[in-house]
Amino acid sequence: EAIQIRRGDTILARDWKNNNVCYPLEKIFKIADLLNVPYSLIEKNLLEVKAKTFLNKRGGSAGKPLGHPKVPIRITPDFCEILGHISGDGTISRTNPKKGIALKYINSELTLLNEFKKLVNRVFGKIEPNIIIRDDKKKYRRPNYVLQYPTIISYIVLAFWDYKTNDKMSFPRFIHNVDENCKCAFLRALFDDEGYVPEKRKKIQIGMKPLENIEDIKKLLDSLGIYVKSIERWSMNRLTLARHDAIIKFHEKIGFKHPQKKQKLDNIIKIGWNFRPRYNHVVREWILDYTHKGNQLTCKILAKKFKFGLSNARVYLRGLESRGKLKSEIISLGKFIRYKEYYLNNGKS
């Protein structure tokens, strides 16, 4: 009577016997309470679960079911990586919730698309997305693929995170309190989607419109001991990693799954850096000691000594000159070849 089966030879009865019927979980748990059946036993034996939205008295839209759901859902690195992708090139569409709430992941890189499908299956259970191809050459340089998942997946994600779209989007608050592996997985997904690697300039950058998101990324990187050089605030806010130790730590702890970005980062690490940053006071003391001995100093000599570029050497020498510690004179070796020699300013040092 509870499930409205009055005869054993009806279609409904046969469907129940053949496991072809979904029944509201809320009612199943009520029956479990009456029979003293633990919820964990029900969770272990769930074959399928799906969400149904009621449009009218006759029913609504359910979408694909989630097969062999892996409940209870836990906050793991894989789950956090999914949230990172949703924050990057994904979305949860709640424009018409009566017809369902679709979770979408859009990308042109097949490696990331396949990885996202694997993450969903590992975290939630067996389910295949609908795939939409956007290949209008007037709009897209490369074909874009949309992985669209049904409402049941969205409901699970929204139970952990009050997702909002566009400029109102913010990261899940709990991401700051999870362990290091979860933080790294979340950041890797974000940088895979929204990051870029200017290989020649040896930098890693990421840009997003909401400033709050960029500031949250900085907090997460700080908690991992990865130094952020700067945040550029504009219509598209941008965060930059430039120091060699920050890029090495990023490579070791986070890295990329995006093949092109991964290759660029590997190349930066392989080439390395011709210098290691030194404390400013060490360089300044050496300059003053060198010139105090009567030696005349050029940018080339300083750059060779500390193994950094001529522009860096010029910054140190001009800085000391502006503070009155050094004097300089222009040495001419012809019409087009000139350079500066610096020597100690005995009157002020």
Side-chain angles (χ1 to χ4, degrees):
E1 185 178 346
I3 53 179
Q4 299 177 354
I5 298 178
R6 294 180 177 85
R7 291 171 49 188
D9 60 345
T10 61
I11 294 175
L12 182 59
R14 287 198 297 271
D15 284 342
W16 270 96
K17 290 176 183 177
N18 296 327
N19 296 320
N20 292 329
V21 175
C22 282
Y23 200 69
L25 270 176
E26 183 182 1
K27 291 188 177 181
I28 292 176
F29 286 138
K30 284 181 180 179
I31 295 170
D33 290 335
L34 293 173
L35 300 176
N36 293 320
V37 175
Y39 290 175
S40 58
L41 185 62
I42 296 172
E43 292 171 346
K44 288 178 183 177
N45 289 280
L46 286 174
L47 296 178
E48 285 185 348
V49 60
K50 59 183 177 180
K52 188 172 184 179
T53 58
F54 292 94
L55 297 178
N56 50 48
K57 291 182 180 179
R58 292 186 176 181
S61 174
K64 288 183 179 179
L66 175 63
H68 300 284
K70 298 183 178 180
V71 289
I73 303 297
R74 304 185 186 279
I75 297 175
T76 62
D78 282 346
F79 181 69
C80 291
E81 193 164 347
I82 289 173
L83 299 187
H85 280 303
I86 296 171
S87 301
D89 285 337
T91 187
I92 298 176
S93 176
R94 291 196 273 190
T95 53
N96 195 348
K98 289 185 177 181
K99 290 188 176 180
I101 302 173
L103 187 154
K104 300 176 184 179
Y105 180 61
I106 307 103
N107 212 302
S108 59
E109 178 51 56
L110 294 177
T111 301
L112 296 183
L113 292 161
N114 289 329
E115 182 61 28
F116 190 83
K117 289 169 65 176
K118 291 177 184 176
L119 286 168
V120 170
N121 287 330
R122 285 203 299 266
V123 171
F124 301 115
K126 187 177 180 181
I127 192 165
E128 287 296 320
N130 291 327
I131 300 175
I132 302 167
I133 302 175
R134 299 173 177 172
D135 55 0
D136 186 345
K137 293 182 179 180
K138 294 180 180 179
K139 296 181 179 180
Y140 305 101
R141 288 181 297 175
R142 296 172 59 188
N144 268 244
Y145 300 88
V146 182
L147 304 183
Q148 183 168 305
Y149 288 89
T151 302
I152 183 60
I153 302 297
S154 301
Y155 276 176
I156 296 171
V157 173
L158 291 172
F160 290 85
W161 175 25
D162 185 19
Y163 175 84
K164 293 182 176 62
T165 57
N166 301 325
D167 294 345
K168 294 181 180 179
M169 190 194 78
S170 61
F171 297 151
R173 292 298 90 197
F174 66 80
I175 203 68
H176 294 283
N177 302 318
V178 295
D179 62 36
E180 186 172 293
N181 290 333
C182 288
K183 290 179 181 178
C184 291
F186 179 82
L187 288 170
R188 178 169 53 252
L190 264 178
F191 276 87
D192 271 331
D193 289 346
E194 305 293 343
Y196 40 102
V197 185
E199 185 178 348
K200 292 183 179 179
R201 292 186 287 156
K202 297 183 179 178
K203 292 181 180 180
I204 300 171
Q205 296 178 314
I206 186 169
M208 300 187 81
K209 281 188 176 181
L211 178 59
E212 181 186 353
N213 289 357
I214 291 293
E215 291 174 341
D216 277 342
I217 294 172
K218 182 181 184 302
K219 289 177 185 176
L220 289 170
L221 290 169
D222 286 343
S223 71
L224 298 172
I226 299 174
Y227 174 79
V228 176
K229 179 188 176 185
S230 63
I231 292 179
E232 298 173 44
R233 293 167 173 81
W234 202 246
S235 56
M236 177 65 75
N237 300 290
R238 186 170 63 181
L239 177 148
T240 300
L241 303 179
R243 252 173 44 173
H244 82 286
D245 57 331
I247 293 173
I248 290 171
K249 279 187 180 179
F250 183 95
H251 180 261
E252 292 172 349
K253 293 187 174 185
I254 300 172
F256 288 103
K257 288 184 179 178
H258 190 293
Q260 285 78 40
K261 295 173 187 178
K262 182 179 184 301
Q263 185 61 56
K264 288 180 179 180
L265 180 57
D266 288 345
N267 290 342
I268 291 173
I269 298 298
K270 184 177 180 180
I271 293 169
W273 288 260
N274 293 326
F275 69 95
R276 294 291 184 268
R278 286 162 172 76
Y279 295 109
N280 291 342
H281 72 274
V282 173
V283 180
R284 287 197 296 267
E285 287 176 4
W286 183 89
I287 292 171
L288 295 175
D289 181 64
Y290 184 85
T291 53
H292 182 74
K293 294 175 181 178
N295 299 312
Q296 292 183 329
L297 185 60
T298 64
C299 291
K300 188 174 181 180
I301 294 172
L302 182 62
K304 185 177 180 180
K305 167 66 181 176
F306 287 95
K307 296 181 180 179
F308 49 46
L310 292 173
S311 59
N312 282 350
R314 199 171 292 114
V315 169
Y316 280 110
L317 293 172
R318 286 179 177 175
L320 288 171
E321 184 180 20
S322 66
R323 292 164 56 189
K325 298 290 185 181
L326 297 177
K327 284 186 176 180
S328 67
E329 61 177 322
I330 296 175
I331 306 299
S332 177
L333 297 179
K335 187 174 181 181
F336 300 105
I337 303 176
R338 295 182 179 182
Y339 67 94
K340 274 189 176 182
E341 280 189 348
Y342 292 83
Y343 55 92
L344 194 67
N345 184 356
N346 289 318
K348 295 185 180 181
S349 61

